[in-house]
Structure formats: structure tokens, C-alpha cells
Amino acid sequence: MASLFKRVASKALLSVVAVGLTVSLAAGPAAAQDYPSRVITMIVPFAAGGPTDIIARIVSEHMARTLKQTVVVENVVGAGGTTGSTRAARATNDGYTIVMGHMGTHAASVALYPNLAYKPDADFEPIGLAAGTPILIVAKKDFPAKDLKEFVAYVKANTDKMNAAHAGVGSVSFTTCLLLNSVMQVKPIAVPFNGTGPALNALLGGQVDYMCDQIVNLVPHIQGGTIKAYAIGTAERNPALPNVPTSTEAGLPEFQASAWNALFAPKGTPKPIVDKLSAALDQALDDETVRKRLLDLGSDIPGKDRRGSQALATLVKSEIAKWTPIIKANVTN
Ligand code: MLT
């Protein structure tokens, strides 16, 4: 009797397990087919109003239309963007939480945080590059220097009085001004903010002296003369700011600095879902209105060959390799 019971019980157990597996396997393709069936959260790991937030809101607006679903931008600040990026890495990998990361959170942070809670090149599914963002050296409106040469001389002569704003260790503004300060051989007072949105407000108010920031945050203020731009860290001038010299033209060729912002999903997000998100981002970057908004703010919109998961995976690895030695050389100094 007992052995008959065992046989029946184990058969029942097997069928329950089989049904469970079928349901979970079926859920994969079915979940992808129905995706998105509810609101998508796009984490921005910095304060509202900064460059990452600006780019996130521009592309998410169009992606929402393509996906026929609401995309909510959620600002999760702290620790140079690594708090929000960690939140995304640990989120359920169902496609309903994604993050707008960048050169800081998904490359420079590896060298800046020995115990970083995530591996940018292993704990995410890359969705795609959204925008390249050249870096500018900017100062408060009444900074007493008419060009980059005078800026460098003044900062060197007044280092202990200089307040340099950034968005936290691991941010783009921190990383690129680490490079600038090393080139100038200065150690100013570092003033951290939860993003370069708030940092810019302090610059506009004269509470800080200078910062290195992404062009999309700066164009209207430079055009309006409410802050000073001394140079852009790219080989060519930017069409949105044709009067701002390159760092090479301005006499500081060692300062070459560009960043990028890109979308990531947590590791294990099903490929059909990642592909849907990549396709929606791709369509956003092909939309004339989106392109005009990004280009007017000085962004570099990736060509088709630089879009999608594979291209972003390659970029993350190359950027970690690029920034790690620069950071290690400058942080130890
Ligand atoms: C921001 O959006 O505030 C910036 O991306 C922060 C930074 O990385 O400098």
C-alpha cells in the first residue's frame, strides 16, 4: 500500500513540477509578447534638471509612444550615480526597470569604487547608447579670466580658495575635472552635489567657481552669458557653441574629455524585451523632433553602427579600459 502511495505521490509531484516549468517557460515568450503591459520605470541616478535627466526625458517621451506605455523617469540620487545604478542592477529583470547610466556610472566608477556593488559590463543588459556629450570647462559669470590660459593661471594662483563643483565621486563631472585639475596640477575644494543640475544653479549663483560638465546642461546658459565657457574637450568645436574654442585651440591639449549616456536593463532581462527597448530607443534617435532637441543641446547622436546592445557592451568595456588608468594616475597623486 505504502509503495503504491509513494508512486502516486511522486507522479503527482512530477506533474506539478512539469506544469510549473511549462508555465515559467511559457511566461518568458508570453511575457515578452505582452511587454510592456504596465508602466516602465527609467531610473536617472542624478538630480532632475541635469544632463542625464534631460537626455532621459527627451528619449523616454518618444519611447513611451513607440511602446504604447507610460515611461516614468525616477531620479534616484547619491554616490555619484552609483546608488541609482545599484538599484537598477538589483531590480527584477522583467523589463519594467531600466536605468540611464553614463561614462561615470558605467565606466569610471569601476576605478573610483573598489567595492562597487555592480559590474557595469556584467550586471546589466545593454539596451543602447542614447547620446554622446562633450565636456566643457565652465566658470561662474564673474570669474576673473578672459580665456583658458588666464583661467589656468588664476586657478593655480588661488587653488586653496577655488570651489570646484561636481556630482559625486563616480560622476562625469567629478571624473573629467579630476583630469583637468591633474593637468593644471591643482587640488581645489571639491563641492559635491546630487547632480550637475543643482551644481549649475550654484555656479549661476556664484557659490562655486568652476566645473566640468556635459554640454547638454550648459548650452542655454553659455548662449545667454550667465556662465563662462573656456573650452570644450573635443577635437572639433561644437555646432551648438561655435564660439567656444577646443581645449587644443585654447592651449590645453591634454584636456580631452567626452561622455555618453546610455540605457541599461538588469542582467537576465529577456532578450526579446531588451530588443523591444533597443528598437524603441533607435526609433527615438531617428525622430526629427528628438534629434533637433538633442542636437540643439550639443549632443552627439550615435549613428546606426553605434546603437543597440552589442555596440554598447563594446563601448562600456573600452571606456572602463580608457578611464581606469587615467583615474588611478590622478587619484593617487
Ligand atoms: C547629471 O545628470 O547630473 C550628470 O550626469 C552628473 C555627472 O555625471 O556629472
Side-chain angles (χ1 to χ4, degrees):
M1 188 58 177
S3 60
L4 175 62
F5 174 75
K6 266 188 187 167
R7 275 204 308 277
V8 169
S10 59
K11 212 169 166 197
L13 181 63
L14 272 176
S15 55
V16 167
V17 169
V19 167
L21 271 177
T22 313
V23 167
S24 62
L25 286 173
Q33 214 164 348
D34 300 342
Y35 178 86
S37 57
R38 55 189 168 83
V39 171
I40 298 166
T41 297
M42 183 185 289
I43 291 174
V44 167
F46 296 98
T52 301
D53 188 69
I54 290 167
I55 292 168
R57 290 178 194 277
I58 291 173
V59 300
S60 62
E61 207 178 287
H62 192 277
M63 289 177 70
R65 291 206 292 275
T66 303
L67 294 165
K68 297 183 177 55
Q69 188 51 258
T70 304
V71 178
V72 171
V73 171
E74 183 182 353
N75 301 88
V76 180
V77 301
T82 58
T83 300
S85 301
T86 301
R87 167 99 58 98
R90 292 174 177 166
T92 306
N93 51 9
D94 57 6
Y96 290 100
T97 304
I98 58 179
V99 61
M100 183 65 84
H102 66 17
M103 174 275 266
T105 59
H106 282 70
S109 288
V110 171
L112 289 164
Y113 287 95
N115 303 316
L116 189 61
Y118 58 86
K119 291 184 181 61
D121 57 349
D123 294 332
F124 293 89
E125 301 298 345
I127 294 169
L129 179 62
T133 50
I135 302 298
L136 285 95
I137 302 167
V138 291
K140 62 186 180 182
K141 190 170 64 169
D142 58 358
F143 195 92
K146 70 174 181 308
D147 58 25
L148 187 60
K149 278 205 168 62
E150 284 189 12
F151 169 83
V152 173
Y154 188 87
V155 172
K156 287 171 84 88
N158 298 278
T159 299
D160 51 356
K161 292 196 292 266
M162 287 289 99
N163 289 306
H166 63 79
V169 175
S171 65
V172 163
S173 45
F174 176 89
T175 304
T176 52
C177 251
L178 189 69
L179 174 62
L180 173 65
N181 294 334
S182 167
V183 168
M184 295 196 291
Q185 296 180 327
V186 297
K187 283 194 189 290
I189 301 156
V191 184
F193 294 83
N194 276 332
T196 50
L200 178 63
N201 290 336
L203 196 71
L204 290 165
Q207 284 94 34
V208 291
D209 296 298
Y210 70 93
M211 75 173 172
C212 304
D213 196 13
Q214 299 169 74
I215 192 167
V216 296
N217 198 28
L218 305 171
V219 170
H221 303 284
I222 294 168
Q223 290 172 339
T226 48
I227 57 174
K228 275 181 178 172
Y230 289 110
I232 188 167
T234 45
E236 305 296 329
R237 293 193 180 203
N238 190 284
L241 293 169
N243 301 327
V244 177
T246 67
S247 48
T248 300
E249 288 172 319
L252 204 66
E254 310 93 308
F255 183 73
Q256 297 300 320
S258 250
W260 41 271
N261 287 255
L263 283 175
F264 298 86
K267 187 75 184 164
T269 302
K271 187 174 182 320
I273 290 178
V274 174
D275 291 347
K276 270 190 183 177
L277 289 162
S278 292
L281 176 58
D282 184 50
Q283 287 184 51
L285 297 176
D286 284 343
D287 175 75
E288 279 318 307
T289 306
V290 169
R291 293 177 68 85
K292 183 171 183 338
R293 290 176 72 185
L294 289 171
L295 291 170
D296 285 351
L297 291 173
S299 302
D300 164 37
I301 298 176
K304 290 287 188 183
D305 60 321
R306 290 194 294 143
R307 296 183 195 175
S309 302
Q310 195 44 55
L312 180 53
T314 304
L315 177 67
V316 168
K317 287 192 188 314
S318 65
E319 286 283 285
I320 292 171
K322 170 184 168 186
W323 284 100
T324 295
I326 294 173
I327 289 161
K328 290 200 183 302
N330 296 321
V331 165
T332 46
N333 285 353

